[in-house]
Amino acid sequence: MKIVFMGTPDFSVPVLESLYNNSEYEIVGVVSQPDKRVGRKQVITPSPISNFALNNNLNLLRIENIKKEYNDILLLEPDIIITCAYGQIIPEEILNYPEYGCINVHASLLPKYRGGAPIQRAIINGDSETGITIMYMDKLMDNGDIIKQESLKIDDSDNLETLTNKLSILGRDLLNKTLPSIFNKTNERIKQDEKEVIYAYNIKREEEHLDFSKSCKEVFNKVRALSPTPACYTKLNKKIVKIYDGYITNDKAKGIPGEIVKLYKDGIGVNTKDFIYVITSLQLEGKKKMLAKDYIRGCKDNLIGEIYE
């Protein structure tokens, strides 16, 4: 079977790698987003999927606007197109071409969390589970028929990185189990219930701000959902502080939300709406990421009474 694979981030790599290692499939093309400037030095960097394709001598297409630049994909004459976190809406010219359709590996239990940030939104909302959906693509975002789903528990210890890694492996394994039925045309096609739709829009810059006037549980979930990148931020003495990790206590909050009220052995205790949240990992503006206990140890100022804004 001739496959065109479309993806961009690290999340997609195990899925592509598994297809590449299966002798029954031929990867005739890999489509990814163009190289981007990354980091303070703005180094031009290929996407993780582009790197995999280049390292394994796969035919790589780095497409800026797929709605206008799709002919090279059709010329590859794929039997099926598989997408996984590609990052662009696929035009109908592509969707209607392959005999076995265009299949998407999506990191949620659709119709919940259609969109570009399903993992982040699941953690932010305090969900106890998420999962993978293998689905047919159509012209609308994450709207197509469901082929197969599998759920996964979200642990309190999970953050964006760990949950993404778990879902990536689940997506790889579920696709491998599902593809034979797609090629045999014996798979299910389940219409999504439009009444159950929830959208997971990409995280905006203003959403990265950590609001300590929320409940301790909400603060806890927000930090996990955006860690390690882009990370939540707050301000202390007008300087940005990024927060990477922390935990909930049973200590009642007394005073102003965001006020540092207690120093723990492993972190900085901050008032929220109800309980004290302990910051255990942070990064001060212009500094490297560090453990909060190390920051406390080297801090010359009295932190008690300072307020994160």
Side-chain angles (χ1 to χ4, degrees):
M1 290 294 178
K2 295 198 297 182
I3 296 174
V4 165
F5 183 86
M6 304 174 69
T8 299
D10 286 317
F11 176 83
S12 314
V13 174
V15 180
L16 174 57
E17 183 178 23
S18 179
L19 295 170
Y20 172 73
N21 289 331
N22 191 320
S23 61
E24 295 182 11
Y25 308 138
E26 179 188 0
I27 309 296
V28 294
V30 174
V31 183
S32 193
Q33 302 276 29
D35 298 354
K36 292 185 177 181
R37 295 184 181 275
V38 176
R40 290 183 180 179
K41 296 184 178 180
Q42 293 290 282
V43 177
I44 297 175
T45 306
S47 74
I49 282 294
S50 292
N51 269 331
F52 183 89
L54 293 168
N55 291 336
N56 291 281
N57 297 312
L58 293 171
N59 179 26
L60 174 63
L61 304 176
R62 286 172 273 203
I63 295 178
E64 184 77 40
N65 186 342
I66 198 164
K67 290 184 179 180
K68 296 179 180 179
E69 306 169 57
Y70 57 82
N71 280 329
D72 286 345
I73 297 173
L74 303 185
L75 290 173
L76 298 172
E77 299 181 343
D79 296 307
I80 191 170
I81 293 175
I82 298 173
T83 71
C84 180
Y86 171 57
Q88 293 190 50
I89 299 295
I90 310 300
E92 288 186 81
E93 289 85 353
I94 292 177
L95 296 176
N96 296 332
Y97 181 87
E99 177 183 353
Y100 296 96
C102 290
I103 307 302
N104 184 38
V105 181
H106 184 74
S108 81
L109 299 173
L110 292 171
K112 194 172 187 179
Y113 300 134
R114 292 179 182 177
I119 305 174
Q120 294 94 324
R121 298 295 179 189
I123 299 175
I124 286 172
N125 292 338
D127 291 1
S128 60
E129 70 170 11
T130 183
I132 290 290
T133 299
I134 310 295
M135 58 174 290
Y136 284 107
M137 299 181 70
D138 66 15
K139 62 182 180 180
L140 300 177
M141 183 177 63
D142 301 328
N143 181 73
D145 293 347
I146 294 167
I147 302 170
K148 199 76 174 175
Q149 291 184 320
E150 192 166 326
S151 62
L152 177 72
K153 181 184 176 185
I154 301 176
D155 295 322
D156 280 349
S157 58
D158 278 322
N159 63 10
L160 177 59
E161 182 177 49
T162 62
L163 189 56
T164 296
N165 291 341
K166 290 178 183 179
L167 285 167
S168 178
I169 300 305
L170 181 62
R172 177 199 68 188
D173 295 344
L174 186 58
L175 179 67
N176 285 333
K177 289 188 288 186
T178 306
L179 276 177
S181 69
I182 293 171
F183 291 133
N184 293 332
K185 298 186 177 180
T186 58
N187 61 278
E188 292 184 288
R189 291 192 70 136
I190 303 167
K191 294 286 184 186
Q192 294 189 43
D193 185 348
E194 291 298 317
K195 295 178 182 177
E196 300 295 324
V197 171
I198 297 175
Y199 287 99
Y201 296 111
N202 288 332
I203 304 296
K204 297 178 180 178
R205 172 60 178 170
E206 56 265 29
E207 291 183 274
E208 296 170 18
H209 179 255
L210 191 59
D211 184 359
F212 286 102
S213 68
K214 301 290 187 181
S215 71
C216 199
K217 184 70 171 178
E218 288 175 292
V219 169
F220 173 71
N221 289 337
K222 186 76 166 287
V223 170
R224 296 191 299 138
L226 302 186
S227 181
T229 182
C232 288
Y233 76 90
T234 181
K235 287 187 177 181
L236 186 65
N237 298 321
K238 298 183 179 180
K239 290 188 176 181
I240 290 177
V241 180
K242 287 192 172 185
I243 310 297
Y244 292 95
D245 200 7
Y247 61 87
I248 296 169
T249 71
N250 292 320
D251 298 337
K252 286 281 188 180
K254 296 179 181 179
I256 302 168
E259 182 181 1
I260 299 172
V261 290
K262 185 176 180 180
L263 298 182
Y264 294 74
K265 289 183 179 180
D266 55 350
I268 302 165
V270 184
N271 274 337
T272 67
K273 181 181 179 181
D274 46 16
F275 297 99
I276 294 175
Y277 175 78
V278 179
I279 299 169
T280 58
S281 179
L282 75 169
Q283 182 179 12
L284 278 66
E285 189 173 321
K287 304 290 184 180
K288 293 183 178 180
K289 180 180 175 182
M290 67 179 79
L291 294 175
K293 63 181 181 181
D294 294 333
Y295 169 60
I296 294 168
R297 190 179 302 117
C299 189
K300 297 178 182 179
D301 301 323
N302 180 18
L303 295 173
I304 300 297
E306 296 282 359
I307 298 174
Y308 287 113
E309 298 176 352

